[in-house]
Amino acid sequence: MKCFKKIVIVLLTIININLLTGLIISCNFQKVLINGVLKETIKTEISKTAYKEPNIIINENAKTTKDLVKTDNDTINKILESDEVQSLIEDYLNKTINSLEEPSKVNEIDFEKDIIDYLKNNKEKIEKSSGIEITDEMIDKTSKTLQENDTNIYIKQKIRNTSNSMTTTEKTILKGYKIFISIKFRFLLTALFLLNIIIIFILKRPLHKVINTLGIIFATSGIETIITSLVIDFIIKKNTIFTKFNSSPLLKWGIICTVFGLIVIMVYNIVMNKLKNKEME
């Protein structure tokens, strides 16, 4: 019976390690996608954008100096790192994914309005982070440019074309991604994790032994998450154009989990050693 209990406890511990790793990845996967892929894409596109800036030679090989711009990557980085931009990108990522899955939802997208609203609502924060004054004239000019370029129509058509050209496998992957990052899926992982802990507690009394097991789970899951983040980094950088890709949100939580787990294990061992010493006295 004791042997059976040990086997069950070991299996539940292994399952919980992977449940916790899955939960960490689920909670941070969208952040990794936004920081590592979307923001880098935005930076690249902004770097190609051109505005007239007198008395500055930007590209000596350019055929004309009309509408050229000097791109300040530091400024772009500061703006892109703000919580407001993060929220805007995340919102559009979700809208795009929903529209790819259900093309009828593309009508919910109003890029022109959202960009202008963002500029108006976050004017002071953008000015503070970038050092550039955002005037009403600039906002009006941006609005006019977006309208003249039919930005809304272009984005919606791009999404429709992409949706129509997607294979069954690609649509299945998209659905899987939505499920993986959903609140319901995270709740399920958390519920299973807690249920397993309760079962371990019932099988492995007293309480202090369960605490040690928790430490092992967190430390091992943290190491597993760190390895996963490094592997993702290596694969993306080696096989894609995103050479500056980084999975820092995953790495950060992997380190936090590892440190927390190790602290729990250390505290457990210190307390147990003290108790043993007292018993021997």
Side-chain angles (χ1 to χ4, degrees), residues 62-73:
K63 293 180 181 179
T64 174
T65 56
K66 183 183 178 182
D67 293 335
L68 288 178
V69 75
K70 179 184 178 183
T71 303
D72 186 345
N73 288 323

Side-chain angles (χ1 to χ4, degrees), residues 72-96:
D72 186 345
N73 288 323
D74 289 336
T75 299
I76 294 169
N77 289 337
K78 286 178 183 177
I79 293 173
L80 287 176
E81 290 308 313
S82 70
D83 292 336
E84 291 75 25
V85 170
Q86 183 89 13
S87 178
L88 183 67
I89 296 172
E90 192 172 324
D91 181 49
Y92 262 84
L93 176 60
N94 292 331
K95 283 181 179 179
T96 302

Side-chain angles (χ1 to χ4, degrees), residues 33-48 80 241-242:
L33 187 61
I34 289 170
N35 291 331
V37 178
L38 296 182
K39 282 187 178 179
E40 288 304 317
T41 304
I42 291 168
K43 287 175 191 176
T44 303
E45 291 304 312
I46 290 175
S47 297
K48 294 175 184 176
L80 287 176
I241 60 171
F242 301 106

Side-chain angles (χ1 to χ4, degrees), residues 16-32 180-181 185-186 189-190 193 217-226 228-229 232 247-260:
N16 262 12
I17 288 167
N18 290 292
L19 284 173
L20 185 57
T21 302
L23 183 61
I24 294 169
I25 296 172
S26 175
C27 291
N28 291 280
F29 191 78
Q30 194 167 49
K31 289 179 184 177
V32 171
F180 183 68
I181 65 165
F185 184 72
R186 293 171 190 172
L189 292 179
T190 305
F193 181 85
I217 289 170
F218 273 88
T220 310
S221 178
I223 293 168
E224 195 172 70
T225 304
I226 291 169
T228 302
S229 70
I232 291 172
S247 53
S248 55
L250 270 183
L251 187 62
K252 181 185 78 174
W253 280 103
I255 293 169
I256 290 171
C257 253
T258 304
V259 171
F260 175 76

